[in-house]
C-alpha cells in the first residue's frame, strides 16, 4: 500500500506540475498577445464608469446616423451608408435650412471634372505614368481599403466611418474626440506661415506669401505608412487653405490629406482626412465627419477610411491628388479627390475670413513630438527618409497649383519652405516640366543628430 500511495502522490504531484505549467503558459501567451495586439484594442482592458459610458453612447448616437447599409472593411472599419439628407453636417445650427449643392456652379479652369455617378472606381488606379526627370513607377490615385470586398454605398447615400466607444476612449476626453488640441503659436516673422510648435508640433512645409488673394489649391501627395512611436502622436501630409490672424483667435483653416493617427483611428494605416476651423482650433471644427460641418456628396469615398495601396521604399510610388477650391458663385469650398472626383464641400456659412478668400496656402508634413523619456520622438514624417534621398525613398508633393481670382488653376511659381529642425525632418523644393513645382520632405525623427 505504501508503494501504491507513493506512486499516487507522485502522479498527483506530476499532474499538478503539468497543470501549473499549462496555466503559466496560458498567462504568458495572454500577456504576449496583449502586448502585441493593436493599439485599437488597448481600451478593452480599461475600466470606465457607467456614467461616462452613457455619455459616450449618447454622443455616438448623434454622430453615427442610422445607415441604409453597412459595409465591413477588411481592416475592421464599419462604413455606414447614410442618406445624404440625414448626414451629420446638416445638424449644424448654421445649416438648418441649407439646401445641399449637388455640384459646383463652376469648375476651376484648367481641369477636367468627373461626376460621382460616372466614376468607375475599379478602373481608377492602376496605370504607370512617367514623371519628373524621366522617372517611372508612380501610380496615380491610391484608393481605399473598404472597396476591396466589392460592395458600394447606394446612390443617394454617403459613406461614413462608424465611430466606436474605443475610438472615443483613446481621446483625451469626450470633448477632445475628433479635434486638434489647442496649439501655441511659434514666434516668427509676420510673413511666416501658420506653424505651431508650442506643444510639440513639428513641420516641413512649403507655403505661399501671406498677401495674396487665393481661391483654392491642389497637389498630388505620395502616400506612405510612417511609424508612430507613441499612441497620442501622429504623422500627416496635407494641404492647408488659410485666412485670418495666425496669432489670434480668428484663424480660418481648411485642411485635407492623409494621416496616420493611432489615437484617432486605432491603427497605423494612412487615412484620407479633412479638418476645418473658424476660430484657431478652439471650439469650431473637427476631423472628417466627427462634427457637423463638411457636407459630403460622394457615395464612393469615405473620409477617414484607410488608403490602399501605399508607396514602398525603392518600389512603386502611390499618390493621391487633392483639390480644394471656392465656388465663385455660391461661395462653398469644394474638395475633389483622386481623378478629380467630387467629395463634398465646406459651406461658406461655417467661416468668417474664408467666406471671402484665402490669404495663404501650405503644403507639407506635420508630426507631434511628445519627447517621451526626454528625447525627440522617432515618429516618422512622410516615408521616414530625408528629402535628399529623392525619388522612391523620400515622400513628395508634386504639381503644386493654386486657384486665382479668375477661378483659374495654375502652377505655383514661387514658394518658401520651412522646417523647424532640419536634423529631424527637412524639405527640398524644385521644378520640372512633368512635376511643375514640387518638393521632397520628411525624416526619421530621432537619430544621432536629432537627440
Amino acid at each position: 500500500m505504501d508503494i501504491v500511495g507513493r506512486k499516487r502522490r507522485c502522479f498527483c504531484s506530476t499532474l499538478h506540475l503539468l497543470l501549473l505549467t499549462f496555466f503559466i503558459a496560458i498567462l504568458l501567451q495572454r500577456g504576449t498577445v496583449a502586448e502585441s495586439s493593436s493599439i485599437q484594442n488597448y481600451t478593452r482592458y480599461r475600466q470606465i464608469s457607467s456614467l461616462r459610458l452613457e455619455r459616450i453612447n449618447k454622443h455616438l448616437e448623434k454622430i453615427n446616423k442610422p445607415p441604409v447599409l453597412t459595409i465591413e472593411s477588411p481592416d475592421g472599419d464599419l462604413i455606414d451608408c447614410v442618406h445624404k439628407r440625414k448626414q451629420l453636417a446638416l445638424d449644424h445650427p448654421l445649416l438648418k435650412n441649407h439646401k445641399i449643392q449637388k455640384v459646383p456652379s463652376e469648375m476651376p479652369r484648367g481641369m477636367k471634372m468627373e461626376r460621382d455617378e460616372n466614376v468607375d472606381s475599379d478602373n481608377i488606379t492602376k496605370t504607370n505614368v512617367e514623371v519628373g526627370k524621366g522617372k517611372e513607377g508612380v501610380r496615380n490615385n491610391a484608393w481605399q481599403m473598404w472597396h476591396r470586398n466589392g460592395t458600394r454605398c447606394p446612390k443617394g447615400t454617403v459613406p461614413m466611418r462608424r465611430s466606436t466607444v474605443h475610438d472615443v476612449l483613446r481621446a483625451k476626453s469626450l470633448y477632445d474626440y475628433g479635434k486638434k488640441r489647442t496649439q501655441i503659436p511659434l514666434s516668427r516673422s509676420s510673413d511666416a506661415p501658420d506653424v505651431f510648435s508650442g506643444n510639440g508640433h513639428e513641420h516641413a512645409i512649403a507655403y505661399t506669401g501671406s498677401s495674396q488673394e487665393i481661391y483654392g489649391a491642389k497637389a498630388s501627395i505620395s502616400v506612405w505608412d510612417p511609424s508612430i512611436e507613441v499612441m497620442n502622436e501622429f504623422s500627416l501630409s496635407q494641404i492647408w487653405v488659410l485666412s485670418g490672424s495666425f496669432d489670434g483667435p480668428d484663424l480660418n483653416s481648411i485642411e485635407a490629406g492623409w494621416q496616420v493617427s493611432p489615437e484617432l483611428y486605432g491603427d497605423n494605416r494612412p487615412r484620407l482626412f479633412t479638418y476645418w476651423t473658424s476660430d484657431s482650433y478652439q471650439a469650431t471644427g473637427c476631423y472628417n465627419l466627427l462634427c457637423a460641418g463638411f457636407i459630403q456628396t460622394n457615395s464612393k469615398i469615405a473620409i477617414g477610411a484607410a488608403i490602399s495601396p501605399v508607396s514602398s521604399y525603392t518600389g512603386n510610388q502611390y499618390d493621391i491628388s487633392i483639390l480644394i477650391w471656392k465656388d465663385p458663385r455660391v461661395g462653398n469650398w469644394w474638395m475633389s479627390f483622386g481623378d478629380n472626383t467630387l467629395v463634398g464641400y465646406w459651406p461658406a456659412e461655417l467661416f468668417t475670413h474664408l467666406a471671402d478668400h484665402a490669404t495663404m496656402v501650405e503644403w507639407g508634413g506635420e508630426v507631434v513630438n511628445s519627447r517621451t523619456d526626454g528625447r525627440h520622438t522617432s515618429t516618422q514624417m512622410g516615408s521616414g527618409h530625408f528629402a535628399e534621398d529623392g525619388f522612391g525613398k523620400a515622400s513628395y508633393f508634386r504639381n503644386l497649383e493654386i486657384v486665382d481670382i479668375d477661378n483659374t488653376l495654375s502652377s505655383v511659381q514661387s514658394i518658401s519652405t520651412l522646417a523647424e529642425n532640419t536634423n529631424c525632418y527637412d524639405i527640398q523644393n524644385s521644378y520640372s516640366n512633368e512635376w511643375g513645382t514640387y518638393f521632397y520632405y520628411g525624416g526619421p525623427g530621432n537619430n544621432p543628430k536629432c537627440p
Side-chain angles (χ1 to χ4, degrees):
M1 291 295 296
D2 290 340
I3 294 175
V4 174
R6 283 197 297 272
K7 287 183 176 179
R8 285 178 177 174
R9 286 195 295 273
C10 180
F11 173 78
C12 291
S13 298
T14 303
L15 180 61
H16 289 158
L17 181 61
L18 288 172
L19 288 172
L20 180 61
T21 303
F22 173 77
F23 285 119
I24 290 174
I26 290 295
L27 289 172
L28 289 173
Q29 184 180 20
R30 286 181 178 176
T32 303
V33 170
E35 289 177 0
S36 62
S37 63
S38 70
I39 297 173
Q40 182 179 14
N41 297 326
Y42 96 103
T43 52
R44 292 179 183 174
Y45 307 103
R46 294 180 58 187
Q47 296 293 322
I48 60 173
S49 68
S50 58
L51 179 59
R52 187 182 182 197
L53 183 60
E54 182 181 354
R55 289 173 178 169
I56 290 173
N57 282 325
K58 284 184 178 179
H59 183 70
L60 292 175
E61 287 177 6
K62 291 180 181 179
I63 63 177
N64 291 328
K65 298 299 184 180
V68 173
L69 173 71
T70 297
I71 301 169
E72 186 170 355
S73 174
D75 61 359
D77 280 356
L78 294 178
I79 306 298
D80 288 332
C81 304
V82 176
H83 195 282
K84 285 181 181 179
R85 303 192 197 289
K86 301 293 184 182
Q87 61 182 297
L88 179 62
L90 299 178
D91 290 350
H92 197 288
L94 295 175
L95 304 176
K96 288 298 184 182
N97 299 314
H98 184 87
K99 183 178 179 181
I100 295 177
Q101 186 182 7
K102 293 182 179 180
V103 293
S105 63
E106 186 179 332
M107 315 300 181
R109 297 179 183 88
M111 65 172 290
K112 179 183 178 183
M113 181 64 67
E114 293 185 71
R115 290 282 299 277
D116 175 24
E117 291 79 6
N118 298 325
V119 173
D120 181 0
S121 60
D122 293 329
N123 295 325
I124 282 183
T125 66
K126 311 302 181 187
T127 306
N128 280 328
V129 294
E130 187 172 325
V131 292
K133 300 182 180 178
K135 303 182 182 79
E136 295 184 359
V138 168
R139 296 172 183 261
N140 288 28
N141 305 324
W143 210 233
Q144 296 195 295
M145 193 172 290
W146 69 281
H147 293 161
R148 289 184 180 177
N149 65 10
T151 308
R152 296 291 184 268
C153 283
K155 289 183 180 180
T157 67
V158 294
M160 300 182 68
R161 179 183 182 269
R162 186 185 300 179
S163 295
T164 68
V165 172
H166 295 296
D167 290 335
V168 179
L169 288 176
R170 286 191 301 270
K172 184 178 179 181
S173 68
L174 180 58
Y175 176 80
D176 290 320
Y177 175 56
K179 296 182 178 180
K180 288 188 176 181
R181 293 188 177 94
T182 302
Q183 300 171 326
I184 303 170
L186 175 69
S187 297
R188 49 175 166 59
S189 61
S190 59
D191 61 345
D194 169 35
V195 168
F196 298 93
S197 64
N199 62 344
H201 289 242
E202 296 187 17
H203 307 77
I205 62 172
Y207 60 98
T208 63
S210 60
S211 60
Q212 302 182 52
E213 288 190 12
I214 300 173
Y215 295 84
K218 184 179 182 181
S220 293
I221 313 168
S222 61
V223 182
W224 295 79
D225 54 352
S227 65
I228 311 297
E229 180 179 349
V230 182
M231 188 201 67
N232 61 2
E233 296 180 339
F234 65 66
S235 180
L236 60 76
S237 298
Q238 69 170 55
I239 301 172
W240 290 260
V241 177
L242 301 154
S243 190
S245 175
F246 293 147
D247 54 2
D250 64 341
L251 178 72
N252 288 200
S253 181
I254 290 174
E255 305 166 22
W258 63 261
Q259 70 177 160
V260 178
S261 176
E263 182 181 274
L264 188 58
Y265 305 106
D267 60 28
N268 292 296
R269 295 182 177 91
R271 294 170 176 270
L272 175 68
F273 85 97
T274 61
Y275 200 94
W276 70 274
T277 182
S278 61
D279 62 356
S280 299
Y281 307 97
Q282 295 179 88
T284 63
C286 62
Y287 282 111
N288 306 332
L289 307 178
L290 297 178
C291 68
F294 183 87
I295 294 179
Q296 183 153 344
T297 60
N298 188 286
S299 64
K300 295 183 174 69
I301 296 170
I303 299 174
I307 300 171
S308 179
V310 301
S311 302
S312 59
Y313 187 77
T314 70
N316 284 325
Q317 305 298 293
Y318 293 90
D319 61 35
I320 58 173
S321 294
I322 290 177
L323 167 65
I324 300 167
W325 86 100
K326 190 174 189 290
D327 186 313
R329 297 181 187 173
V330 180
N332 299 324
W333 286 87
W334 277 85
M335 171 184 167
S336 74
F337 170 73
D339 195 13
N340 295 328
T341 302
L342 294 171
V343 179
Y345 61 91
W346 293 269
E349 295 94 323
L350 299 176
F351 302 105
T352 53
H353 297 288
L354 282 176
D356 189 5
H357 62 267
T359 56
M360 179 178 286
V361 173
E362 299 169 14
W363 301 262
E366 178 183 355
V367 300
V368 173
N369 172 29
S370 59
R371 296 200 65 85
T372 303
D373 300 325
R375 59 171 178 77
H376 194 285
T377 183
S378 60
T379 288
Q380 298 173 334
M381 180 188 292
S383 68
H385 292 266
F386 286 113
E388 53 265 33
D389 287 351
F391 185 78
K393 300 176 181 178
S395 191
Y396 63 79
F397 278 63
R398 64 179 175 89
N399 299 108
L400 273 58
E401 297 176 283
I402 58 172
V403 180
D404 63 20
I405 193 171
D406 295 322
N407 198 36
T408 300
L409 189 66
S410 58
S411 179
V412 175
Q413 298 302 312
S414 177
I415 57 172
S416 302
T417 59
L418 180 148
E420 289 99 336
N421 190 341
T422 56
N423 290 324
C424 307
Y425 315 104
D426 67 357
I427 180 171
Q428 293 181 0
N429 65 296
S430 189
Y431 182 89
S432 74
N433 290 333
E434 295 83 6
W435 277 18
T437 299
Y438 70 94
F439 61 84
Y440 293 108
Y441 70 102
N446 181 261
N447 67 79
K449 294 183 178 180
C450 173

